[in-house]
């Protein structure tokens, strides 16, 4: 009789996947694809790019599954891989932006816009887009903390572990990020 994989702890699921059980990989995706996608979308601001980066994160994670420490949450491990994919994407984007600006003006019509897509489920699309742009404009270290703590609702300890910094650093970065966002958005309060 095969065990119900939805009840398996992450470490057992990893062992099953490494032994060749394809359904164990599917169970990992069922558990963690949505939160990883939300994390990446919050970081890059583009759903299409987020879908691609989510797939890249899981491909890389599954390829490195033998290095997963079963004593730690798989979500934290795969989220760290996802953040690294976001950082790589940001570096590639910066290089592309440099070369895009170097094109002659007559070639500019070939360049796609950088604005993030609006969330069709939001009641106030303009405000959502404004907030997304403000978050995207934050320095990477502040943006990561805002997304992890505010969007993905990781605890301060989980965020610190994921970013490999102290909890005090997470607290400080979150304070600075909120202050910058208030200034950028022209809002008072928290």
């Amino acid at each position: 009789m095969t065990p119900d994989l939805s009840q398996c702890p992450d470490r057992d699921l990893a062992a099953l996947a490494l032994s060749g059980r394809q359904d164990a990989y599917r169970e990992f995706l069922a558990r963690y694809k949505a939160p990883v996608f939300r994390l990446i979308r919050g970081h890059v601001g583009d759903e299409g790019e987020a879908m691609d980066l989510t797939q890249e994160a899981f491909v890389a994670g599954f390829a490195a599954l033998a290095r997963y420490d079963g004593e730690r949450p798989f979500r934290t491990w795969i989220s760290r891989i996802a953040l690294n994919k976001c950082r790589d994407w940001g570096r590639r984007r910066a290089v592309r932006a440099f070369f895009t600006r170097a094109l002659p003006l007559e070639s500019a019509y070939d360049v796609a816009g950088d604005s993030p897509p609006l969330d069709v489920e939001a009641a106030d699309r303009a405000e959502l887009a404004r907030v997304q742009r403000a978050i995207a404009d934050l320095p990477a270290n502040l943006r990561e903390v805002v997304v992890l703590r505010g969007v993905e609702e990781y605890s301060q300890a989980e965020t610190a572990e994921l970013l490999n910094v102290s909890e005090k650093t997470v607290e400080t970065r979150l304070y600075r990020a909120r202050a910058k966002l208030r200034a950028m958005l022209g809002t008072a309060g928290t």
Side-chain angles (χ1 to χ4, degrees), residues 5-6 9 15 19 27 32 35 59-60 62-63 67 78 80 83 85 111 113 118 122 125 133-134 139 149 160 168 172:
L5 295 184
S6 67
S19 73
E27 179 62 27
Y32 301 111
V59 167
F62 291 159
R67 293 193 306 263
I78 195 70
R80 182 171 288 154
L83 277 177
K85 293 296 178 187
V111 179
L118 298 174
R125 294 177 188 190
R133 282 191 302 271
R149 292 282 289 134
K168 185 65 178 172
T172 302

Side-chain angles (χ1 to χ4, degrees), residues 1-9 13 16 21 27 31:
M1 182 169 160
T2 60
D4 179 13
L5 295 184
S6 67
Q7 303 301 314
C8 281
L13 202 56
L16 289 171
R21 293 270 309 265
E27 179 62 27
R31 288 181 190 182

Side-chain angles (χ1 to χ4, degrees), residues 25-116:
Y25 290 108
R26 284 190 292 279
E27 179 62 27
F28 271 131
L29 285 170
R31 288 181 190 182
Y32 301 111
K33 184 178 180 181
V36 167
F37 171 77
R38 287 191 312 268
L39 170 69
I40 292 173
R41 183 184 59 199
H43 198 281
V44 302
D46 179 279
E47 287 196 19
E49 292 286 347
M51 290 291 284
D52 291 344
L53 291 171
T54 299
Q55 184 175 356
E56 287 180 30
F58 277 98
V59 167
F62 291 159
L65 195 56
R67 293 193 306 263
Y68 165 63
D69 176 5
E71 298 303 312
R72 296 178 178 239
F74 184 83
R75 180 179 177 185
T76 302
W77 185 75
I78 195 70
S79 294
R80 182 171 288 154
I81 292 170
L83 277 177
N84 287 335
K85 293 296 178 187
C86 290
R87 290 172 182 147
D88 292 345
W89 174 85
R91 284 189 290 271
R92 287 191 310 265
R93 185 174 179 203
V95 169
R96 282 193 306 267
F98 171 77
F99 285 110
T100 299
R101 285 191 293 274
L103 291 175
L105 281 177
E106 55 269 19
S107 302
Y109 66 88
D110 293 328
V111 179
D114 288 339
S115 61

